[in-house]
Amino acid sequence: MTKSRLSNATVQGLPAATAVPLYDRTGVAPGIVHLGIGAFHRAHQAVYVDDCLAAGETDWGIVGVSLRSADTRDALAPQDGLYTLAVRDSGGESLRVIGSILSLLVAPDNPGAVLAALTDPRTRIVTLTITEKAYLRAVGGGLDAAHPDIVHDLANPQMPKTAHGFLAESLARRRAAGTPPFTVLCCDNLPANGATLHRLLVEFAALRDARLTSDARFARERDASLAQHIADEVAFPSSMVDRIVPATTDTDRTRISGLLGVDDAWPVMTEPFCQWVIEDDFPAGRPSWERFGVTMVGDVGPFEDMKLRLLNGAHSAIAYLGLLSGHATVDRAFADPAIRQFVDRLWAEAIPTLPQDAGLDTTDYTAQLAQRFSNTALAHRTAQIANDGSQKLPQRIVASAIERAEAGLLPEHLTLVIAAWIAACEARGKTLPENHFTDPLDAALAALDSRHLSAEETATAVFDLAGFARDFAERQTLIEAVAAHLERLRQGGPAGAFAALGIQ
Ligand code: CS2
């Protein structure tokens, strides 16, 4: 017999051990539109919002938007947006059904519905987790104006595909209607993420202004510069988000549905740890997140740097060195004594690049990270973290390497992570499955690989392609260090590279 589905109708009948929304979901109004409704959002921001809704702040329900695939909408719409959050560690698993997602939209199916949600006066905050590559930055850091999706969105402002296109069009419509702008809250792992998105969106809006000025169909907008409006009147607080969220597997789905007694097509797995630090700049109002563990601050920079450089930097190291050493999950890679020792040394190299006067406790932080990476109940796949290295390494690894080199020190461990990324890319289709992980630079990387270049030629070409250390005077020193590691990885694998660092 097929089980019934998790939904408003079945949620109150779940086993008592599962926490469920106790507030009246029909009384919740949408106040937040979230772009990028993947597992991370559902294990993090949506949970804090669920807490606020349960406390009676009923104006902040979430409209979830996928910019690409219909998968999440197809899984959750039949469940009235409900899904199970499974918090797992060696002590067991606790289940909670989250009710904060009121509806789901798929941008390619219906861009008009997404624009309608964004222009709804009740929408006062737009949050984003669209992954690093969806910000469409060129190698120099500015907007990639030649990207086909940007070209498309400039030519078709009312049928956008990108986050930039949706934000610009909806902010233009709100201004035309006299509706105050929403606050844009970036929740991706980018440095100064709010300021970065602000800068990119102003660039996009300037291109759009220029385009509309020359197009008779949009004469109405001629006098009003959207770029200026976004630059002056829209708030883009930065935020640091942190929770480890491995991709859900079919085994997870079966186990959770068994525990619930009803089917949940897309439960989300996560760890007990959860952190959100947000710059407090919300002119249109916000939920009282601070009541539920969110830290509201004036400057999120130090927290962001510590997280990107210590957590995410180590994650990338574990992913690439783990893959090259045959470890499928973070906990197994981290239990490998050589990788463990390497990560300690990587932290020691990166920590001096963090602000010394911001009250960061890096000893406590790294001890906590070591515990989190050892969580055997998560089975966080190294291949998942390995995706999009060209977009992730600049803020996780290259930025620290540049600062160490500026201080006159050779960042031997940081540069090994870059070499391990290159070697792991080269291993695909050989010792690793062909598409074990992917990268926006895959076509160019495959072309490089087919030329069988020396380690130094490869490192130089990869730095050029990815724009690593582009404006750094001592870029060549970093390239040579990466090349030396890459040569050893090619010859002797991770053991060879570790031996040169005195790691057994
Ligand atoms: C990971 C992050 O996949 C990755 O690149 O490093 O998703 C990481 O798990 C989160 O940032 C943790 O907050």
Side-chain angles (χ1 to χ4, degrees), residues 282-304:
F282 291 82
R286 61 167 175 81
S288 60
W289 283 310
E290 69 279 12
R291 291 172 62 197
F292 303 99
V294 176
T295 313
M296 304 299 303
V297 295
D299 177 14
V300 81
F303 296 94
E304 223 173 26

Side-chain angles (χ1 to χ4, degrees), residues 235-251:
F236 286 75
S238 283
S239 82
M240 181 275 257
V241 293
D242 189 8
R243 195 166 215 186
I244 293 174
V245 186
T248 304
T249 64
D250 286 339
T251 313

Side-chain angles (χ1 to χ4, degrees), residues 189 241-244 307 311-312 315 380 385 392 396:
N189 285 321
V241 293
D242 189 8
R243 195 166 215 186
I244 293 174
K307 194 254 172 173
L311 187 158
N312 296 114
H315 244 178
H380 194 192
I385 301 166
K392 293 174 175 175
R396 297 178 178 204

Side-chain angles (χ1 to χ4, degrees), residues 6-92:
L6 175 64
S7 69
N8 283 339
T10 59
V11 69
Q12 299 305 336
L14 298 184
T18 303
V20 298
L22 294 176
Y23 52 91
D24 173 14
R25 295 184 77 221
T26 60
V28 175
I32 297 174
V33 172
H34 182 77
L35 305 182
I37 189 85
F40 182 77
H41 171 75
R42 294 196 279 131
H44 190 272
Q45 301 106 70
V47 182
Y48 288 106
V49 171
D50 195 57
D51 286 335
C52 294
L53 297 178
E57 295 186 51
T58 53
D59 289 347
W60 297 108
I62 300 171
V63 176
V65 176
S66 300
L67 289 177
R68 299 161 66 91
S69 120
D71 295 0
T72 305
R73 192 265 325 264
D74 292 350
L76 297 195
Q79 303 182 179
D80 302 315
L82 295 170
Y83 61 94
T84 314
L85 180 73
V87 178
R88 295 169 61 78
D89 66 9
S90 54

